[in-house]
Amino acid sequence: MGKMVAKTGNEAMAEAMRQINPDVVAAYPITPATEVVQIFSTYVADGLVQTEFIAVESEHSAMSACLGAVATGARTMTSTASQGLALMWEMLYIASGLRLPIVMAEVNRALSAPINIHCDHSDTMGARDSGWIQIYSENAQEAYDNLIQGVRIAEECLLPTMVMADGFIISHGMESMEILEDKEVQDFVGEYNPSSTLINSEKPITMGALDFTDYYFEHRRSLAQAMIEAKEKIIKISQEYSHLSKRKYQLFEKYMLDDAEIAIVVIGSTAGTAKVVINELREKKIKAGLLKIRVFRPFPGEELKEALANIPVIAVLDRADSLSTMGGPLFIEIKSSLYGLEKQPQVVNYIYGLGGRDINLHHLREIYQDLQSLLKTGKVTSLVKYLGVRE
């Protein structure tokens, strides 16, 4: 039986970590993720968890410590943001390449320069090809729920998993949410019993060996296959969690999409603001809809293709810029997934909210107005727009 509470996103993720009770947490504090491990460290100090907490001198060391811990069979978690994630970069690839199921609470923040501590998705979009599963959250409730599911997902897929919350918007915004009983969470995640570890003398293994032209390619191919197979496992675990929590989780969420003529595709907290605008438009008999990406890695391309196939006009909103001159990372992947449809939708891109710039109801109404014009004229005046920027 759940309990209603008021928590910020950071508090919600720290609470999930307390209920998960991991064996090891190694972390270095960085805004806006500092509170996650700061709050969790008080749980350790107060004896509320049996976790070994490792305070390190940098994020590179934090991920290095996580690698060592999980390789010995310890359920292992960490938390970071922005430059901290960037400093973990080479270790992210080692975690996925060695198939080590570390779970990370990641609070999205812009990357320098210029220095900025506020939200955008540049940090995790930069890590999109590192072999980590990526799950984005709309609010504190989803950050809590996704982090609990992330443990099962990482351990069943044997892939490290990061769960995201928008910096300061979710991380520091207080919301009402429902938490599960401790036992419900512990029963859901179960005990971590890896099939092989570095300290199992009965079944010795080698990790981190040199791997030249003879086998490197095969190992990378097996990592790609793991990501392909992860999708079905994520769906199964999400269904189990939905049954437990009574909250529905899938690879993505459709909001008034099935009969929509104009729709936006978005990640994270902006989805909640967009739903308000869609409700307004529906009252005016305008067929507007939304598709919110929850699982970005593995990318659910075939499922998205089916969900968006009959929407004539689509806007993809990116809170990160790929700097490729071809639009944001989400836009490029959505366009790619829709390639081959018999009837191609018109798809445009809006890059917004970089460095924490607000996106409000007015901005979203403006986007839907643009889509209505595009629906009437069929003429794309600009494929990529920068929303709310002074130019």
Side-chain angles (χ1 to χ4, degrees):
M1 186 68 181
K3 180 172 70 173
M4 294 302 298
V5 296
K7 287 191 181 296
T8 66
N10 280 348
E11 290 171 343
M13 289 196 285
E15 175 70 5
M17 290 173 67
R18 182 192 66 76
Q19 295 182 311
I20 293 163
N21 193 8
D23 299 312
V24 173
V25 168
Y28 184 80
I30 180 168
T31 303
T34 300
E35 281 184 335
V36 177
V37 286
Q38 175 189 324
I39 295 167
F40 185 77
S41 68
T42 65
Y43 298 147
V44 178
D46 293 341
L48 299 179
V49 292
Q50 283 73 56
T51 306
E52 180 72 26
F53 187 88
I54 306 174
V56 289
E57 80 287 359
S58 75
E59 289 86 353
H60 189 281
S61 296
M63 185 51 64
S64 300
C66 286
L67 289 169
V70 73
T72 63
R75 177 172 278 162
T76 304
M77 301 182 75
T78 188
S79 178
T80 195
S82 184
Q83 308 297 132
L85 181 64
L87 192 53
M88 292 179 174
W89 224 254
E90 66 172 328
M91 295 302 169
L92 296 181
Y93 284 81
I94 292 172
S96 58
L98 294 179
R99 307 291 299 276
L100 298 174
I102 300 163
V103 176
M104 177 193 297
E106 216 286 338
V107 183
N108 285 111
R109 173 186 143 183
L111 288 168
S112 300
I115 295 174
N116 183 294
I117 62 168
H118 292 281
C119 175
D120 67 38
H121 297 159
S122 303
D123 51 359
T124 48
M125 285 295 164
R128 64 182 176 165
D129 298 334
S130 64
W132 283 59
I133 289 171
Q134 291 198 347
I135 305 175
Y136 286 81
S137 313
E138 180 183 328
N139 48 41
Q141 181 73 70
E142 291 192 3
Y144 168 85
D145 291 335
N146 285 334
L147 199 58
I148 294 169
Q149 293 172 70
V151 173
R152 283 275 306 278
I153 290 167
E155 291 172 5
E156 293 191 24
C157 298
L158 280 182
L159 288 170
T161 299
M162 60 179 77
V163 171
M164 274 67 83
D166 284 355
F168 290 108
I169 300 166
I170 299 174
S171 66
H172 288 64
M174 182 75 72
E175 301 176 38
S176 61
M177 57 171 289
E178 185 181 64
I179 60 171
L180 300 172
E181 298 288 343
D182 289 0
K183 188 173 186 310
E184 289 178 313
V185 174
Q186 288 155 14
D187 288 347
F188 179 80
V189 298
E191 288 192 18
Y192 178 44
N193 294 306
S195 59
S196 58
T197 76
L198 281 178
I199 57 174
N200 184 355
S201 58
E202 302 294 321
K203 189 180 176 184
I205 60 170
T206 298
M207 284 189 181
L210 201 60
D211 196 3
F212 280 154
T213 50
D214 45 1
Y215 282 109
Y216 180 84
F217 200 169
E218 282 71 23
H219 284 129
R220 298 304 294 183
R221 176 65 184 89
S222 70
L223 179 60
Q225 187 63 31
M227 196 60 91
I228 292 168
E229 294 171 3
K231 198 186 301 181
E232 288 304 315
K233 293 175 182 173
I234 294 170
I235 292 170
K236 176 185 76 70
I237 293 164
S238 298
Q239 287 173 342
E240 282 183 44
Y241 190 81
S242 297
H243 181 71
L244 171 66
S245 66
K246 313 304 179 195
R247 292 182 285 277
K248 191 174 182 181
Y249 285 101
Q250 297 175 316
L251 298 173
F252 52 81
E253 176 188 341
K254 296 193 293 183
Y255 188 77
M256 298 193 186
L257 192 71
D258 288 340
D259 67 339
E261 294 176 334
I262 52 175
I264 66 172
V265 179
V266 73
I267 283 175
S269 60
T270 304
T273 314
K275 289 172 183 174
V276 175
V277 175
I278 291 169
N279 292 343
E280 290 177 359
L281 296 173
R282 285 285 173 166
E283 287 181 4
K284 297 175 184 175
K285 310 299 180 188
I286 297 170
K287 293 183 176 180
L290 166 81
L291 190 147
K292 180 187 78 180
I293 304 280
R294 173 176 174 250
V295 178
F296 183 70
R297 282 291 182 274
F299 193 71
E302 285 301 315
E303 293 83 354
L304 288 170
K305 185 176 185 178
E306 183 178 348
L308 296 171
N310 297 315
I311 314 295
V313 176
I314 299 165
V316 180
L317 276 60
D318 269 289
R319 205 163 201 148
D321 191 352
S322 70
L323 304 179
S324 70
T325 74
M326 296 294 290
L330 180 60
F331 173 68
I332 292 169
E333 299 208 9
I334 291 286
K335 285 277 285 183
S336 176
S337 67
L338 297 178
Y339 185 79
L341 281 175
E342 189 172 332
K343 189 174 181 181
Q344 282 286 310
Q346 296 274 22
V347 188
V348 293
N349 187 209
Y350 291 81
I351 293 172
Y352 75 99
L354 302 187
R357 179 68 55 86
D358 275 345
I359 180 165
N360 55 34
L361 296 174
H362 170 73
H363 291 130
L364 288 157
R365 291 184 190 119
E366 185 181 306
I367 292 172
Y368 278 111
Q369 284 171 5
D370 288 351
L371 296 184
Q372 283 182 277
S373 297
L374 182 54
L375 183 65
K376 288 178 184 173
T377 64
K379 292 182 180 177
V380 176
T381 55
S382 177
L383 192 63
V384 182
K385 292 184 179 179
Y386 288 80
L387 186 70
V389 69
R390 294 185 293 273
E391 293 188 280

